[in-house]
Amino acid sequence: MSDRLYAKGRVLGYERAKRSQNPNVSLLQVEGVQTTKDAQFYLGKRVAYVYRANKEKNGSKIRVIWGRIARTHGTSGVVKARFRNNLPPKSFGTSIRVMLYPSNI
């Protein structure tokens, strides 16, 4: 049993079409989720992109961009999430924390 209160995930990129992309919506892959049915559990959960900045603010160089999982994407367990500020492109491929709240169980 781990002490983590969040599930790990990865940022895949922005929602996109053939020739355009929508930076308001990010695609995430949650670890251990392979189907749409599994992804349903994470809908509405809070998401945190934690990163390190160069400049210290409030005594810490660690910062967070918060978001929320909105809906599923496709059939392989990918989800769409909206963040308070759009994720920067440098976040693509990096890890993300999917909090296990708010709970709907």
Side-chain angles (χ1 to χ4, degrees):
M1 179 83 183
S2 74
D3 296 332
R4 263 195 297 123
L5 295 176
Y6 61 88
K8 289 182 181 179
R10 272 231 183 272
V11 181
L12 301 180
Y14 297 138
E15 175 188 58
R16 54 171 299 144
K18 190 174 181 183
R19 290 181 185 83
S20 61
Q21 59 185 11
N22 177 13
N24 300 334
V25 180
S26 298
L27 299 178
L28 311 175
Q29 177 74 63
V30 183
E31 214 172 70
V33 176
Q34 261 84 45
T35 65
T36 309
K37 195 167 179 136
D38 296 343
Q40 296 281 332
F41 169 79
Y42 291 99
L43 300 187
K45 300 283 189 270
R46 303 284 306 277
V47 185
Y49 168 61
V50 181
Y51 65 101
R52 279 192 172 78
N54 291 326
K55 198 172 185 181
E56 202 169 287
K57 274 191 180 179
N58 300 329
S60 175
K61 288 186 176 182
I62 295 173
R63 302 197 191 151
V64 181
I65 300 176
W66 285 97
R68 180 166 270 128
I69 293 178
R71 57 178 294 185
T72 59
H73 174 80
T75 57
S76 59
V78 176
V79 292
K80 294 181 182 184
R82 287 197 165 83
F83 288 82
R84 288 196 185 146
N85 297 334
N86 296 346
L87 290 182
K90 72 170 186 179
S91 70
F92 296 171
T94 60
S95 74
I96 206 151
R97 297 179 183 185
V98 180
M99 302 302 172
L100 299 178
Y101 57 82
S103 175
N104 51 16
I105 298 175

